[in-house]
Amino acid sequence: MRLAVIGTGYLGAVHAACMAELGHEVLGVDTDPERVDALAAGRTPFYEPGLPGLLKRGVDAGRLRFTTSLTEAAAFADTHFVCVGTPQRPGSGAADLSHVEAAVDGLAHALPFSGYQHVLVVGKSTVPVGTADRLARRLHTAAPDADLAWNPEFLREGCAIRDTLRPERIVAGVRTAHAETRLREIYAPLLAAGIPFIGTDTATAELVKLASNSFLATKISFINAMAEICDATGADVTTLAEAMGADSRIGPRCLAPGLGFGGSCLPKDIRAFAARAEELGCGESVVFLRQVDEINTRQRRHTVDLAEQLVGGSFEDHGVAVLGAAFKPFSDDVRDSPALAVADAIRRRGAQVRVHDPEAIDNARAAYPELQFALDVTKTCERADVVLHLTDWPQYRELDPAALGAVVRTRAVVDARHSLDPVAWRAAGWTLRAPGRPRLGRPEGARAVLRSQGIWEPAWSDSGHERTH
């Protein structure tokens, strides 16, 4: 089938490449000519494992190409996926839908000249409930025969290709039987592999994404709230999470305590959900999401306080090494990064802060030019008075604490992701602190249980990515 993908940012580029991998002819559309040229050459403006190779395979096979022209897209395909961003509106928790509206309006003006009948526009962007109905009315004004459906994405940065080609479910909010039939045809290879297809109305489809992300954010903030209780009582949050996760009704996923969630999805999605609920007159039903957001932010302050305790109560004239800048591993995304928020807070308290990350240094430097950065872990930690482990990259777990201890000024580390081995680090002479673990013992808990089962789970996970995510 011929498909157009409107918007080739993170979501759009991944979706376009994966649809070409499924055998469809795909045309990606973006307003940025430089991005279009880069994608056509198999280069991505962001880090996502496996995506460059997938792009190149689609382009070389002739199934994938890119353009800046919506008119060309309208003439090329009868199905158009809208994959543009919905960031948080400045000064408000609500979602900014200007990119989605511009994409649909642009298509609406181009479609009457496309020559196709029964055109289907499919939204994949995360939007407030009720958006699809409103956009459908706008679409029908210019293109009366066009149909609109909503097919939310559930990608985790770092494993987005797997989440597209082997999703846990496909949700399709449709207004007509024809739209559902078209989507079933598009995803036929996945349905043949046993992937569940959940057909519903557009409002429910919109809510599935927001409700899923809100539930995951709540679960993450809940275990981090328990970490605060553990600090106050002497209990161990990782053992608590392990025992809770053994209950099949709860499960261990997203129950790993740590620095909390960040990125471009979970924080803004729960705020947008709460804002939309207030517009609908039922804000009290999701008032707990405000507390979820506050707990998540408080984890960052708590991590700063732990580090400050380790340097004697003041950061002034102390060196701090930060391991991690991306909001999660296997990504170079630093939007709402907990690691960088902590690093900058410590800098503002008077410390000399040096940051390392395997992939996100360039983005981090652009976002936080006041911080110092290094491309080597050893250089990052030279003469540091405390080391902070803030992004759960696998290579940080594999560090030799004895070798690293030879370059720091003080062997003190805050493991905000609960994945360093406290026995090994203490044996090498380090003082190790972690939120919710006042008496450190075995490095186990919900995350360790998942790894023992052969499942790698980042410190947070969101339904749009990251299964933060």
Side-chain angles (χ1 to χ4, degrees), residues 314-330:
S314 172
F315 283 117
E316 200 71 39
D317 299 323
H318 283 84
V320 177
V322 171
L323 302 183
F327 85 97
K328 65 174 291 187
F330 302 106

Side-chain angles (χ1 to χ4, degrees), residues 116-132:
Y116 282 104
Q117 291 183 333
H118 306 299
V119 171
L120 178 62
V121 177
V122 185
K124 290 197 72 67
S125 306
T126 302
V127 296
V129 61
T131 300

Side-chain angles (χ1 to χ4, degrees), residues 156-204:
R156 293 168 294 171
E157 293 191 32
C159 48
I161 293 172
R162 183 185 68 189
D163 288 343
T164 303
L165 297 178
R166 289 185 290 162
E168 293 178 325
R169 79 285 205 196
I170 297 169
V171 176
V174 299
R175 302 162 62 84
T176 64
H178 179 267
E180 180 169 338
T181 298
R182 179 82 60 84
L183 285 168
R184 285 183 178 274
E185 291 173 351
I186 291 169
Y187 291 120
L190 305 184
L191 303 187
I195 304 301
F197 185 99
I198 302 172
T200 185
D201 56 88
T202 55
T204 302

Side-chain angles (χ1 to χ4, degrees), residues 218-303:
T218 301
K219 194 171 181 181
I220 295 162
S221 282
F222 178 86
I223 197 61
N224 284 334
M226 294 304 100
E228 294 187 42
I229 302 298
C230 287
D231 277 331
T233 61
D236 189 309
V237 71
T238 59
T239 305
L240 173 64
E242 179 183 358
M244 288 177 61
D247 187 326
S248 60
R249 298 168 301 173
I250 298 173
R253 288 185 180 273
C254 299
L255 205 61
L259 189 51
F261 54 81
S264 63
C265 290
L266 246 64
K268 63 101 174 173
D269 284 355
I270 64 172
R271 295 164 192 159
F273 195 14
R276 180 57 175 154
E278 289 173 358
E279 292 174 355
L280 294 169
C282 50
E284 290 186 1
S285 63
V286 292
V287 69
F288 67 92
L289 291 179
R290 305 293 187 190
Q291 292 300 313
V292 167
D293 200 7
E294 168 56 26
I295 292 168
N296 189 60
T297 302
R298 192 161 66 238
Q299 283 301 108
R300 305 176 186 189
R301 298 195 297 268
H302 184 42
T303 300

Side-chain angles (χ1 to χ4, degrees), residues 32-56:
D32 185 345
E34 291 184 3
R35 173 167 295 200
V36 165
D37 292 342
L39 291 169
R43 301 191 309 271
T44 62
F46 51 84
Y47 176 71
E48 176 62 34
L51 183 57
L54 203 66
L55 280 170
K56 188 175 187 306

Side-chain angles (χ1 to χ4, degrees), residues 311-346:
V311 296
S314 172
F315 283 117
E316 200 71 39
D317 299 323
H318 283 84
V320 177
V322 171
L323 302 183
F327 85 97
K328 65 174 291 187
F330 302 106
S331 172
D332 64 353
D333 194 343
V334 300
R335 289 173 290 181
D336 202 1
S337 165
L340 288 176
V342 167
D344 193 55
I346 290 173

